[in-house]
Amino acid sequence: MAERTSTGLLTMMLEPTPAVAMTLPAEVREKLAELELELSEGDITQKGYEKKRGKLLAPYIPQIQGVDPSLQIDNRIQASSQSVLPGSKHNKTRPANTRDERFRSDLHTEAVQAALAKYKERKMPMPSKRRSVLVQSSVEACTPPDTSSASEDEGSLRRQGRLPTSTPYQSHSHPAVEHWFNRVIQSSSTSSSASSTSSHPGGRSVTNSTTHAALNANTAATALADLMAHTQLDTPLITDNHSAPPDVTGLSERSSLHMERPQVASVRGISRGYNHHTSVMETADGVPVNSRVSSKIQQLLNTLKRPKRPPLREFFVDDFEELLDVQQPDPNQPKPEGQQMSPLEGEPLGVVTNWPPSLPAALQRWGTTQPKSPCLTALDNAGKPIYTLTYGKLWTRSQKLAYTLLNKLSTRNEPLLLPGDRVALVFPNNDPVMFMVAFYSCLLAELVPVPIEVPLTRKDAGSQQIGFLLGSCGVTLALTTDACQKGLPKAQTGEVATFKGWPRLLWFVTDGKHVVKPPKDWHPPVQEASNDIAYIEYKTSKEGSTMGITVSHSAMLAHCHALTQACGYSEGETITNVLDFKREAGLWHGVLTCVMNRMHVISIPYSLMKVNPLSWIQKVHTYKARVAVVKSRDMHWSLLAQRDQRDISLSSLRMLIVADGANPWSISSCDAFLNVFQARGLRPEVICPCASSSEAMTVAIRRPPEMGVPPPGKAVLSMGGLSHSVIRVDTDEKLSVLTVQDVGQVMPGALVCVVRVEGTPYLCQTDEVGEICVSSGSTGVAYYGLPGMTKNVFETIPVTSSGLPLSDRPFTRTSLLGFVGPDSLVFIAGKIDGLMVVSGRRHNADDVVATALAVEPMKFVYRGR
């Protein structure tokens, strides 16, 4: 009992009673009020508030047996910690299903019954619906936390009934209940009348042991009744998230008169003696209260009376409505004035008498009649040729692998692969020879190759999308090389690990000992080109998803035929390929069309380009290449290293195909490259930009000069007009212009039109920018396994202004934004994937790159930046 009394006195020392507060000097009361305001506004932490408040009250709190006031806080903490030691026998945790008999007494039972009787007699007003911004929820402030059992709840109420006469935190079992109970007690204590303390001028309770014992029942009853009254009245506590410790000191003196007073909102921490002037204030519930308050407290109350903040969803209502507002078009914005465009038709495909009926048939012809003719030369990272694949070797090795795939791979005495199955080709970018053998072996075996990139890690994000494509295609076998397989991540068993998102695959090494020679009577089924799937090329959209574009045998053959005619390819020509040979232009020129025309391909690996950007120019000079397939980045890198080489000549080139000529920034690379290398034999008319997409393949390409085509063209367009999809020719002197170059004429045998990007595919006017659509037998067929997207992209029907379909032939969307200029030249101004619509105006992400590269590259744009 002595320990509890000592702890209670220490608590009283830190929390002055209202009688003590009334004797404080005016400046101390003002500082206390300012501290309360700073704490409520969050300008000071709880720890800083207690420290400053203790310093202000220390000189006015009587010392305990000579203890220095500065040490009273430490003594209080030590005493409190000793009272709740885990080893104390009064604080041992008891089972939840047992009832503590030590706190049971008839006096306590009577107190509880009296409180319940008063609770039933009282008429409870309805809770107010209005809330202040800083008012805590009534559920949080006035609802006790849930406990595990009914006996535990009852035990908590019994123990809490004795709290005012003992230490505040005697019950160690339920700190959440005690914290809630202290908040309620603190609200009740601060709203009680000052008359309860006026009878004790000293501010301290002077009672003997008899009075102390007599007050126990009344204190418990009134505290419990206050608790229940606060629960039903929904009294908002004007507090904040940084509330100070509850003031339970002197509860026995003040609570006796609390039940008879009207229940008003209690303003925590505001003493009646803070100021000498009387004012009428309103709480957050609008209840007028007579009190003497300082100007700081009045300012706080005025803040609390402001309208409550709207719910979170209402914060966005106004902005959302503004976004939904239909923006009125600017009457001064440019509008298309031309007539409706007419479809543009390419020259017809020429009839070739000895044209092979299919690509495998072309390989069979050259492999048997010209076996020593070089087909492909591979280079190492030093630029030296490491292997030259002849047409005879390509034919025999493809036959071996095709026979092995169809006859030597089996599961449970059944062949693993059947004609039409999909097979993944996993080959690095520096091994074009094995890729070409695997690709043509799949064609000979009537399998469908799916070329993909080599996975780097088990959880690569891009690799996961590739895995989804493989799973949707039903791929069960992956072809690779021995060196590539050794570099793949391995499981603990030593086998190739299963990559995240990938189906379970069987890995087969194409250059190993398992490839067997076919019998002499076995011949691959070389047939004419059909509408069956020849291969699947993957494409990654701007959202990161990967789709497989199916290309039929007939479309592959028609595309090779169109490229041969447009580029003027002939047998025995040498072509230098810098692009990725697994997809797009690198595959079309460096793997397919070259075999159709018995051409020799010099494949430049990307790893060599990073070490020596001039390597492709050196190979053009060494092999006297007639054609080179590059990107504008390769031309740009060559400018940075061209001073290191002087004895090179590009006079042998008749075509320099720029595969990404549709990008707006390619014109700056082409012009700069021509300015530097024109002195080394490069002719201006040799540069041939082209436009292509994975869905439509090659859309347009500038013809070589010997084919008698019109000269190349450039267009200086107003950026303001382009933002409204309108073509307006401007001058070079202005900064707000975009200079684009043509990408040549439409491919042979193709029909091209330009349609509006959004809504119904109406034909554009002649001075309007839209999406280019192609109808041809040399385009992709579908997205594999995605019939809905296939219909939107591969089966578009353009409509005239009168609402009639342009043709009964379906068109393929190319994702290229452009128009048809003079001399039937095609101009590309951007792509759908890079289109941005801001305030009703269209901008293209490629223009940002074009702007950066428009400056002089040798001075401002550096490699790797």
Side-chain angles (χ1 to χ4, degrees), residues 525-544:
V526 178
Q527 300 175 358
E528 293 186 0
S530 63
N531 291 328
D532 295 335
I533 300 176
Y535 69 94
I536 297 177
E537 181 176 321
Y538 79 90
K539 176 196 175 181
T540 303
S541 66
K542 65 177 181 180
E543 292 85 9

Side-chain angles (χ1 to χ4, degrees), residues 489-768:
K490 300 294 191 301
Q492 294 181 352
T493 58
E495 298 178 352
V496 177
T498 301
F499 299 96
K500 186 176 180 181
W502 282 43
R504 294 186 62 86
L505 297 178
L506 173 65
W507 293 82
F508 185 80
V509 177
T510 58
D511 54 352
K513 300 178 181 179
H514 302 289
V515 180
V516 298
K517 187 176 180 180
K520 292 184 179 180
D521 58 346
W522 184 87
H523 300 286
V526 178
Q527 300 175 358
E528 293 186 0
S530 63
N531 291 328
D532 295 335
I533 300 176
Y535 69 94
I536 297 177
E537 181 176 321
Y538 79 90
K539 176 196 175 181
T540 303
S541 66
K542 65 177 181 180
E543 292 85 9
S545 59
T546 301
M547 300 167 291
I549 300 171
T550 61
V551 180
S552 64
H553 285 274
S554 58
M556 179 175 63
L557 181 66
H559 190 230
C560 292
H561 191 177
L563 283 179
T564 301
Q565 182 172 329
C567 299
Y569 287 145
S570 60
E571 294 182 22
E573 278 193 317
T574 302
I575 177 174
T576 302
N577 182 26
V578 190
L579 307 182
D580 183 7
F581 49 79
K582 297 190 293 294
R583 57 195 302 264
E584 295 185 342
L587 174 68
W588 305 332
H589 291 268
V591 176
L592 304 179
T593 309
C594 64
V595 172
M596 184 65 68
N597 294 280
R598 196 179 59 83
M599 299 170 66
H600 182 200
V601 180
I602 312 297
S603 183
I604 311 293
Y606 188 69
S607 56
L608 174 59
M609 285 292 297
K610 290 193 292 187
V611 176
N612 181 14
L614 276 179
S615 57
W616 70 275
I617 298 180
Q618 295 171 353
K619 299 310 170 188
V620 168
H621 172 76
T622 303
Y623 289 92
K624 305 300 180 186
R626 301 281 289 161
V627 181
V629 186
V630 299
K631 284 190 175 182
S632 56
R633 64 151 192 231
D634 306 318
M635 305 169 69
H636 180 74
W637 286 4
S638 302
L639 297 175
L640 305 178
Q642 55 89 19
R643 297 178 182 175
D644 302 334
Q645 283 285 345
R646 300 184 182 275
D647 53 344
I648 56 176
S649 173
L650 300 179
S651 59
S652 62
L653 280 179
R654 67 173 186 86
M655 278 192 80
L656 178 59
I657 301 175
V658 184
D660 61 343
N663 292 329
W665 65 80
S666 65
I667 185 174
S668 61
S669 298
C670 292
D671 291 346
F673 187 82
L674 179 62
N675 291 336
V676 171
F677 288 96
Q678 190 171 5
R680 305 188 184 186
L682 181 67
R683 294 170 292 166
E685 61 273 13
V686 164
I687 299 177
C688 298
C690 72
S692 62
S693 70
S694 299
E695 292 84 359
M697 297 201 269
T698 307
V699 177
I701 187 170
R702 190 183 294 176
R703 307 297 195 262
E706 63 268 13
M707 301 186 69
V709 294
K714 291 184 181 180
V716 181
L717 307 177
S718 168
M719 295 284 285
L722 287 177
S723 65
H724 295 287
S725 300
V726 177
I727 302 166
R728 291 292 180 266
V729 179
D730 217 321
T731 57
D732 280 325
E733 287 77 17
K734 294 184 179 180
L735 297 177
S736 59
V737 296
L738 176 67
T739 303
V740 294
Q741 63 182 349
D742 72 283
V743 291
Q745 291 79 22
V746 179
M747 290 293 290
L751 184 66
V752 170
C753 67
V754 183
V755 300
R756 292 177 182 172
V757 177
E758 299 172 352
T760 306
Y762 285 104
L763 287 177
C764 289
Q765 294 169 253
T766 54
D767 59 344
E768 187 178 3

Side-chain angles (χ1 to χ4, degrees), residues 114-383:
L116 293 174
K118 288 185 179 182
Y119 165 70
K120 292 179 180 179
E121 294 172 2
R122 175 170 297 184
K123 294 181 178 180
M124 300 301 173
M126 293 299 292
S128 172
K129 292 295 181 63
R130 187 168 181 269
R131 294 287 188 276
S132 172
V133 175
L134 298 177
V135 170
Q136 297 286 345
S137 173
S138 60
V139 177
E140 178 189 353
C142 302
T143 303
D146 189 17
T147 50
S148 59
S149 63
S151 62
E152 206 169 25
D153 293 340
E154 188 175 349
S156 300
L157 288 175
R158 285 177 180 167
R159 290 191 293 273
Q160 289 170 3
R162 302 180 54 149
L163 276 175
T165 59
S166 61
T167 54
Y169 294 97
Q170 280 295 324
S171 176
H172 187 64
S173 301
H174 302 290
V177 176
E178 294 154 4
H179 174 68
W180 159 79
F181 183 67
N182 289 332
R183 291 177 60 183
V184 176
I185 290 177
Q186 177 260 332
S187 175
S188 303
S189 63
T190 54
S191 62
S192 60
S193 172
S195 61
S196 63
T197 60
S198 61
S199 60
H200 302 286
R204 296 177 59 184
S205 177
V206 183
T207 60
N208 53 24
S209 59
T210 305
T211 308
H212 197 128
L215 284 175
N216 278 343
N218 189 21
T219 301
T222 54
L224 186 59
D226 287 355
L227 181 154
M228 296 175 176
H230 277 284
T231 304
Q232 294 297 325
L233 283 175
D234 194 17
T235 304
L237 299 176
I238 302 179
T239 181
D240 52 33
N241 295 330
H242 308 283
S243 57
D247 182 9
V248 296
T249 312
L251 179 62
S252 59
E253 295 88 356
R254 292 175 288 190
S255 60
S256 58
L257 298 177
H258 180 70
M259 294 299 297
E260 289 75 16
R261 291 198 166 271
Q263 293 294 322
V264 297
S266 55
V267 183
R268 184 189 148 287
I270 302 176
S271 177
R272 293 298 180 102
Y274 275 169
N275 209 335
H276 297 291
H277 71 281
T278 303
S279 62
V280 179
M281 67 177 180
E282 289 186 1
T283 64
D285 280 349
V287 182
V289 178
N290 252 338
S291 177
R292 291 171 181 163
V293 296
S294 65
S295 59
K296 293 284 187 180
I297 301 303
Q298 186 64 48
Q299 180 183 357
L300 172 62
L301 290 173
N302 292 337
T303 303
L304 296 178
K305 288 195 299 182
R306 293 175 183 170
K308 64 177 183 177
R309 289 183 293 184
L312 183 62
R313 61 181 180 82
E314 295 183 13
F315 275 107
F316 304 96
V317 169
D318 294 338
D319 295 339
F320 187 64
E321 289 176 353
E322 290 177 4
L323 291 176
L324 289 180
D325 288 342
V326 178
Q327 298 181 354
Q328 298 298 328
D330 184 6
N332 298 323
Q333 75 179 34
K335 297 180 180 179
E337 301 171 354
Q339 307 212 348
Q340 180 178 284
M341 73 155 298
S342 300
L344 185 62
E345 191 169 2
E347 69 267 24
L349 275 173
V351 178
V352 183
T353 54
N354 60 344
W355 191 257
S358 65
L359 202 56
L363 174 60
Q364 183 184 29
R365 173 190 293 183
W366 305 128
T368 54
T369 61
Q370 302 282 343
K372 300 293 183 67
S373 179
C375 174
L376 176 66
T377 297
L379 306 177
D380 60 10
N381 291 338

